[in-house]
Amino acid sequence: MNAHDRVATLLSDAEQIYRDDPAFARQPAAALVAECSARFAEPLRIALAGTLKAGKSTLLNALIGEELAPSNATECTRIVTWFRHGNAPSVRAWHLNGMSAPVPVDRPEGHLNFDLDGLDPAAVDRLEVTWPSNELNRTTVIDTPGTASLNAEISARTMRLLAPDNGVSGADAVVYLMRSAGASDVNVLSELSRQVGGRAGPLGVIGVVSRADEIGVGRLDAMLSAKEVAAGYATELAATGLCQSVVPVAGLLALTARTLRQSEFAALQTLAAVPANDLQVSLLSADRFARENSPLPLPAEVRARLVRRFGLFGLRISVTLLQTGVVDSSSLATELLRRSGLTELQEILNVQFGQRADQLKVHSALSGLRRILDDYPAAATRPLLRSVDEMLSDVHGFEELRLIGLLRSRTTTLSESEVVEITRLIGGYGTSPDDRLGLDPFETMTSGATVALGAVQRWRQRARHPLNDAFSRRVCNAAARSAEGLVAEFASAREQATTQSGPRPIPRR
């Protein structure tokens, strides 16, 4: 029985015990377990958190590929907003008293606006946006208010969701946006790490240097500067092991790339034909570019819309790409997306969140169930509590996730090549056997079992090296255990293939 099935059984047993025990007839224990089970059946929950104006809503829109989250400073940005997949679009406001009501919306120029007139944001617990989006099929995304707001209650909303004092985090994983690695960011990350990852270290926290193009003041090489800054932040945060990765992303450019319109492409082509000196002077500032008496051959309202959608960095890089050979809107969108940093972030999210969704959900479910078993103790639930504790401490996937982050922050006795190999083996570059072993699919099929067995032997032996410190020994043992899992997986596949094919018939003479 795998971890997912074991957790489902534990939840079912706990709910049954509480429902059958008269001592809990007037207590909410069974209902709380049912809520935990319902969450376990839902898609992975990923929350976007960060300081005020860090670009959370813009990045959320870029990840989804549609302008669903209002990004300007409205009442919506003061409320936790959930984005779920659904067959029909809808927006509902859930109040603190448990009641809900539909929220009127409109969609001018492709972006969604919520009409919250008549609603008191302080009385609203959350907004729930249901939308038919492929990006939301396997993931529920949560947009949170700024964590360093001047209004303490607004910041408290985010922390109550992600790091409640006496509860389990409302998210399975967190993408934390920062414009600098300040003390407030480190404090928030420490609290998120404690709640989302538990006491043993972070399971699902990724850092993003947001609005990265602004670091280079919109220059063409702005993202190169941002990568250097992100590397510096990663080094600083690595000292605490609070993030598994830190990547720079120009959220506005990423969103525009995913929603690029043909009319915008045509306007950019017009700009690309403008003499270089005139265009350079006009792009010195957003005000200069959009002003009425500009010499540029585009109406002021078109230019204002372009600078709002692209920013100065996006305009400069788009025009340069068109002048150097990009000929259609699809190619331009692809280039802008790649240069925005979103593609790299999506790959990291896929490897560390998407391919680990079951493990992250298992951790959240076990944490939630343990909290309930602690709050409502009974003789019949003691075996369940022991099983929960065993799973929280023994599930190897949790150890892999923690080590992926810690390997960036801890000094080891391993060589650089050994660290790379271990990171690959424990799933830092992907969780398939191909990714873990560094083989192509054919090599995995023909020699994967042999390579995995060799990895078990090598890392068990390396773990016994007399000069290892405790952490290096832990890492080597984890790599060996990951390789053992692959050996078991290959053996199971071989046994299944033999069972399905059946015994060979005895040839007739």
Side-chain angles (χ1 to χ4, degrees), residues 37 55 79 121 145-146 154 157 272 299 451 473 489 503:
S37 298
I79 303 173
I154 293 177
R157 287 172 178 259
V451 174
R473 193 177 306 114
E489 189 176 331

Side-chain angles (χ1 to χ4, degrees), residues 170-244:
D172 302 306
V174 175
V175 175
Y176 188 83
L177 285 74
M178 66 192 93
R179 301 180 72 178
S180 64
S184 61
D185 293 303
V186 172
N187 291 337
V188 173
L189 281 168
S190 299
E191 189 63 20
L192 293 180
S193 174
R194 182 180 69 81
Q195 287 287 355
V196 178
R199 289 169 293 179
L203 285 184
V205 181
I206 289 176
V208 170
V209 178
S210 61
R211 304 174 71 159
D213 51 306
E214 296 179 7
I215 291 173
V217 202
R219 300 190 313 268
L220 287 176
D221 64 347
M223 290 305 291
L224 295 177
S225 301
K227 284 182 180 293
E228 294 176 1
V229 171
Y233 292 167
T235 301
E236 293 174 22
L237 294 172
T240 55
L242 296 180
C243 285
Q244 292 167 263

Side-chain angles (χ1 to χ4, degrees), residues 219-463:
R219 300 190 313 268
L220 287 176
D221 64 347
M223 290 305 291
L224 295 177
S225 301
K227 284 182 180 293
E228 294 176 1
V229 171
Y233 292 167
T235 301
E236 293 174 22
L237 294 172
T240 55
L242 296 180
C243 285
Q244 292 167 263
S245 302
V246 180
V247 294
V249 177
L252 181 62
L253 183 63
L255 172 60
T256 302
R258 295 206 66 183
T259 58
L260 183 64
R261 299 155 189 162
Q262 188 61 37
S263 60
E264 293 170 338
F265 178 76
L268 292 170
Q269 283 184 310
T270 301
L271 290 178
V274 171
N277 288 338
D278 292 345
L279 186 59
Q280 187 175 1
V281 170
S282 296
L283 285 173
L284 287 174
S285 71
D287 289 340
R288 183 183 289 268
F289 180 78
R291 68 185 182 184
E292 289 287 345
N293 60 346
S294 170
L296 298 177
L298 289 173
E301 63 271 15
V302 173
R303 285 182 276 112
R305 188 161 54 248
L306 284 177
V307 78
R308 187 169 59 249
R309 285 265 293 159
F310 287 78
L312 290 176
F313 172 67
L315 287 172
R316 288 170 181 151
I317 201 167
S318 297
V319 169
T320 301
L321 288 169
L322 290 174
Q323 290 172 339
T324 54
V326 172
V327 296
D328 57 65
S329 59
S330 177
S331 300
L332 178 62
T334 300
E335 282 296 317
L336 294 179
L337 193 63
R338 182 177 67 83
R339 294 164 189 264
S340 71
L342 185 70
T343 302
E344 181 183 0
L345 176 61
Q346 288 174 319
E347 290 171 356
I348 292 174
L349 290 175
N350 178 49
V351 169
Q352 298 190 15
F353 291 172
Q355 297 180 29
R356 302 272 187 171
D358 275 348
Q359 292 172 358
L360 292 167
K361 288 171 58 182
V362 161
H363 183 270
S364 295
L366 288 172
S367 299
L369 179 57
R370 197 192 191 292
R371 176 74 63 178
I372 297 167
L373 296 176
D374 276 343
D375 291 345
Y376 301 94
T381 62
R382 288 173 191 159
L384 300 184
L385 186 58
R386 284 195 296 270
S387 296
V388 168
D389 285 339
E390 288 172 5
M391 289 193 70
L392 281 171
S393 61
D394 290 345
V395 172
H396 181 60
F398 300 162
E399 177 73 347
E400 287 184 331
L401 275 170
R402 291 185 179 107
L403 288 178
I404 288 171
L406 291 174
L407 273 170
R408 294 183 174 88
S409 62
R410 299 283 290 272
T411 302
T412 71
T413 57
L414 304 169
S415 68
E416 186 175 342
S417 61
E418 286 176 324
V419 171
V420 170
E421 186 175 346
I422 285 180
T423 301
R424 184 179 67 238
L425 193 54
I426 65 176
Y429 305 130
T431 57
S432 71
D434 305 347
D435 294 326
R436 289 178 183 268
L437 295 175
L439 304 175
D440 64 43
F442 180 76
E443 289 175 323
T444 301
M445 183 174 60
T446 56
S447 58
T450 303
V451 174
L453 184 58
V456 173
Q457 296 168 343
R458 177 189 175 190
W459 293 113
R460 286 293 180 213
Q461 182 177 358
R462 185 66 176 83

